[in-house]
Amino acid sequence: MQFIVAHDYEDLSRRAARVLADLLGSLPKPVIVLPTGNTPLGMYRELLKLALVDRVIFSGAGFIQLDEYASIDEDDWRSLAGWLRRSFLDDANISPSSVTNFRSSAPDGAMEASRMERAIGTAGEIDISVLGIGLNGHIGFNEPGSAADSPTRIVQLTPQSIRSNAEYWGSEAAVPRQAYTLGLGTLSRARRTLLLVSGAAKAQILHAAMEGSVTPQVPATFLRQLQNVTVIADREAVALLGREGGPRLC
Ligand code: PGA
């Protein structure tokens, strides 16, 4: 595992964008898993800047949506596919045909998850998964209790995820209770994994993820079992690492 301590959120965002820009520049058809949430927003902004300055080209690349709420219309204001379009894809002129996403309004969640797993197989091998971490240690919506080999599926959100996501939608009542996620097993097949972690609020869970016991109760601990993982975390997020005799990472 490669661990990069960024000075602050802006530095983290620039470094993450650079990783993706280098990949886009080195492969004709990279397949990239994209997250939503607050953490990657700076990376998307930096990538859009790089697209202008360094002429980073997105055409040819395939993008896969990491997670999505279930049982909402596709044009619902909470749709994470919509979030990704507004935050990045539209401004980068990435056509919808280059994006493999969940159909949030699908009537049968299990069938939709299987369709998505097959669609990911068709998109090709995942060259990089960009991930964030939830306050409860989730990766995508692989909530506590998720197995390391879990497939892409529909899940029930935990109360903590509902509380965290209320920040985006104004109230807990507005947060859908079910969601789709690429499984930990699906994500483990990526050639490379990039985990982004920012802010003091994430220090405790990053400590548990990097230095606690590997357990389904903290799904992010499974990242330690993968090859070719890069963590980019800012100084606030790494504040609790390297104590208690754990690995000194910065
Ligand atoms: P955040 O969400 O980037 O908004 O903190 C991360 C997550 O819950 O996976």
Side-chain angles (χ1 to χ4, degrees):
M1 178 178 282
Q2 187 192 11
F3 203 103
I4 298 169
V5 181
H7 187 67
D8 54 20
Y9 178 67
E10 283 65 38
D11 186 30
L12 173 151
S13 301
R14 276 192 298 272
R15 286 168 184 261
R18 195 71 259 169
V19 171
L20 285 192
D22 288 348
L23 183 81
L24 287 156
S26 64
L27 293 177
K29 292 183 172 187
V31 174
I32 301 174
V33 170
L34 293 178
T36 50
N38 286 324
T39 311
L41 289 177
M43 174 189 76
Y44 291 138
R45 275 194 298 272
E46 291 298 326
L47 255 182
L48 291 169
K49 277 195 226 162
L50 287 177
L52 292 176
V53 179
D54 283 2
R55 306 214 174 278
V56 173
I57 306 289
F58 301 112
S59 61
F63 298 91
I64 297 172
Q65 182 184 11
L66 173 62
D67 49 17
E68 178 60 281
Y69 295 119
S71 306
I72 58 169
D73 287 343
E74 254 109 80
D75 58 3
D76 189 287
W77 56 294
R78 299 160 297 179
S79 152
L80 295 181
W83 172 318
L84 209 48
R85 272 200 307 278
R86 290 190 299 277
S87 308
F88 174 58
L89 299 172
D90 284 352
D91 288 336
N93 286 320
I94 292 168
S95 96
S97 63
S98 304
V99 185
T100 304
N101 53 254
F102 291 99
R103 295 179 191 148
S104 57
S105 63
D108 184 324
M111 272 179 65
E112 173 57 12
S114 309
R115 183 201 64 79
M116 188 66 173
E117 192 86 86
R118 283 195 304 277
I120 294 165
T122 309
E125 272 195 75
I126 299 170
D127 291 293
I128 193 165
S129 291
V130 186
L131 307 173
I133 182 172
L135 290 173
N136 61 359
H138 75 196
I139 293 290
F141 279 129
N142 289 283
E143 298 284 59
S146 297
D149 62 353
S150 50
T152 294
R153 65 203 187 286
I154 186 164
V155 299
Q156 208 65 37
L157 295 186
T158 59
Q160 181 157 27
S161 284
I162 292 168
R163 271 198 300 281
S164 310
N165 287 18
E167 184 198 319
Y168 315 137
W169 313 118
S171 72
E172 288 188 24
V175 180
R177 274 21 188 186
Q178 285 192 314
Y180 294 104
T181 185
L182 300 195
L184 293 172
T186 317
L187 291 166
S188 71
R189 298 198 295 271
R191 289 201 169 103
R192 186 173 180 191
T193 301
L194 179 63
L195 176 70
L196 308 179
V197 194
S198 173
K202 295 282 174 75
Q204 203 161 6
I205 194 62
L206 183 61
H207 172 242
M210 294 295 124
E211 296 176 2
S213 314
V214 174
T215 165
Q217 288 321 310
V218 184
T221 57
F222 290 130
L223 298 179
R224 288 176 15 219
Q225 298 178 331
L226 304 185
Q227 303 294 317
N228 212 0
V229 176
T230 302
V231 181
I232 308 181
D234 60 21
R235 285 184 184 281
E236 288 186 346
V238 301
L240 300 178
L241 296 184
R243 302 173 176 200
E244 304 155 19
R248 179 157 282 284
L249 295 162
C250 38

